[in-house]
Amino acid sequence: YSDEDFKREIRLTSKCDHKNIVKFIGWFKNEGKLHLATEYINGGNLKEYLQNPLNVRSFIYLIYEKLLI
């Protein structure tokens, strides 16, 4: 990502306000790299969660259910 892409992501993320989206806290630069700071969510991360095929099925079902109901 370029710095401009990251700044665009910061602008979009900071405007999100939904119970199912982690809250944006801020951003910082460390050793020349930009980082997002979000609220802490217990239970691992999305990448690890989606590595389990059963969780992927549940995740897809949840999205499908929310979009169609």
Side-chain angles (χ1 to χ4, degrees):
Y1 289 105
S2 71
D3 281 2
E4 286 306 312
D5 290 334
F6 190 80
K7 290 174 185 175
R8 184 174 32 256
E9 186 169 342
I10 289 171
R11 283 192 300 274
L12 292 172
T13 305
S14 66
K15 294 177 184 178
C16 292
D17 184 21
H18 191 275
K19 66 179 183 172
N20 295 329
I21 299 174
V22 294
K23 296 198 182 343
F24 173 78
I25 304 297
W27 66 273
F28 62 96
K29 196 170 194 174
N30 183 27
E31 296 181 2
K33 294 181 181 180
L34 294 168
H35 302 272
L36 279 179
T38 62
E39 69 177 323
Y40 175 76
I41 302 294
N42 191 16
N45 63 51
L46 183 59
K47 181 180 178 183
E48 291 171 356
Y49 180 81
L50 292 177
Q51 286 175 342
N52 180 333
L54 294 176
N55 289 340
V56 172
R57 218 174 287 151
S58 297
F59 188 72
I60 292 170
Y61 178 78
L62 181 85
I63 292 170
Y64 178 78
E65 182 182 59
K66 295 296 179 188
L67 290 175
L68 295 178
I69 293 178

